[in-house]
Amino acid sequence: MRIKFIFPFIIIAVASVLTSCAQKNNSSKTDSKTKSTPTTTMDANAKLDTITLAGGCFWCVEAIYQRLNGVISVTSGYAGGRRPNPTYEQVSSGATGHAEAVQIVYDTNVASLSEILQVFFKVHDPTTLNRQGADEGTQYRSAIFYRNEEQKKTAEDIKAGLDKSGAFDAPIVTEITAYTNFYKAEDYHQDYYNQNKNSNPYCRFVIVPKIEKFEAYFKDKLKK
């Protein structure tokens, strides 16, 4: 009878391997200082602003915001750490203090910061400290890196409102901290889901459910 109990543990172990962001990638690693490709055509009258967010694996967060109307570009990278120009391996070790993050440039005429943050709190779990699913470590912490007092106040108000409303079963642990740095990740991390959705199981098991959740809750905010 004991044999029957072995299989669930095997399945869990395999699933954990397949659904971890910090896994080896066969793509060649090349550093790039160029800007990421815009995710949409920019209107001539666009009023641009930038916010940097960390909500677990940046592959997931990038894929979601690429689909949000009003977002001009999304760049995956490393924010809030101590070491200049860190590599993925260095950040993954947890020793640099960086979080996997995305830098979002958006048109405030189309999407407000409040809407950007509503999506943020909906598509990841802001109550788990330094963890999202199988991805664990300070590099996967939930964080909002604000650039000015207006961004700080908006973030704090939304966080406080969600806590007060009881939207989550546990207190929100999202860190709201001043922006200090952002280093673009290696090229193979950019546009990751779109480039690897048919080859990396992580895309199918982790990113797809997040995209589906986003599209279900924000139908009227999707890009056409």
Side-chain angles (χ1 to χ4, degrees):
M1 294 295 292
R2 292 182 181 177
I3 295 177
K4 293 183 179 180
F5 293 97
I6 294 176
F7 294 103
F9 290 105
I10 293 176
I11 293 172
I12 292 171
V14 172
S16 177
V17 171
L18 293 178
T19 57
S20 174
C21 178
Q23 55 187 284
K24 292 183 179 179
N25 189 292
N26 293 326
S27 303
S28 59
K29 301 176 183 180
T30 57
D31 285 313
S32 174
K33 301 302 179 184
T34 59
K35 295 180 180 179
S36 60
T37 304
T39 63
T40 190
T41 303
M42 187 169 62
D43 187 278
N45 298 315
K47 182 179 179 183
L48 303 184
D49 202 355
T50 303
I51 188 70
T52 303
L53 306 174
C57 178
F58 46 22
W59 299 341
C60 302
V61 186
E62 176 196 61
I64 288 165
Y65 281 105
Q66 284 178 328
R67 288 157 173 77
L68 181 65
N69 194 29
V71 170
I72 304 302
S73 67
V74 187
T75 305
S76 290
Y78 315 115
R82 300 175 295 275
R83 181 169 184 154
N85 300 305
T87 65
Y88 182 59
E89 287 72 20
Q90 290 167 345
V91 173
S92 294
S93 73
T96 70
H98 291 87
E100 287 194 14
V102 294
Q103 192 141 280
I104 302 167
V105 177
Y106 61 101
D107 181 358
T108 60
N109 292 327
V110 180
S112 67
L113 178 59
S114 178
E115 291 171 333
I116 295 285
L117 294 182
Q118 286 170 17
V119 171
F120 174 73
F121 282 111
K122 192 67 179 180
V123 298
H124 85 296
D125 186 348
T127 69
T128 53
L129 185 63
N130 301 329
R131 180 172 60 81
Q132 288 295 309
D135 295 320
E136 187 171 6
T138 57
Q139 68 271 27
Y140 297 116
R141 67 187 181 272
S142 176
I144 298 169
F145 299 95
Y146 63 85
R147 283 173 165 71
N148 52 55
E149 288 302 310
E150 182 179 356
Q151 287 189 347
K152 179 183 179 182
K153 185 178 187 308
T154 299
E156 289 178 339
D157 287 349
I158 291 176
K159 178 181 175 181
L162 288 170
D163 267 334
K164 185 177 181 179
S165 72
F168 298 97
D169 293 333
I172 294 173
V173 297
T174 301
E175 114 188 12
I176 298 175
T177 188
Y179 173 88
T180 55
N181 56 55
F182 178 87
Y183 300 98
K184 182 184 175 185
E186 296 84 346
D187 277 353
Y188 74 96
H189 289 299
Q190 309 304 325
D191 197 31
Y192 189 88
Y193 171 75
N194 293 326
Q195 299 298 324
N196 297 275
K197 58 186 176 183
N198 295 321
S199 59
N200 189 340
Y202 186 91
C203 294
R204 184 166 66 256
F205 291 114
V206 179
I207 302 179
V208 167
K210 286 179 177 287
I211 292 175
E212 290 176 343
K213 181 179 182 180
F214 160 67
E215 292 179 340
Y217 278 97
F218 299 98
K219 294 178 183 178
D220 60 335
K221 299 186 185 302
L222 301 178
K223 290 181 177 176
K224 305 300 183 183

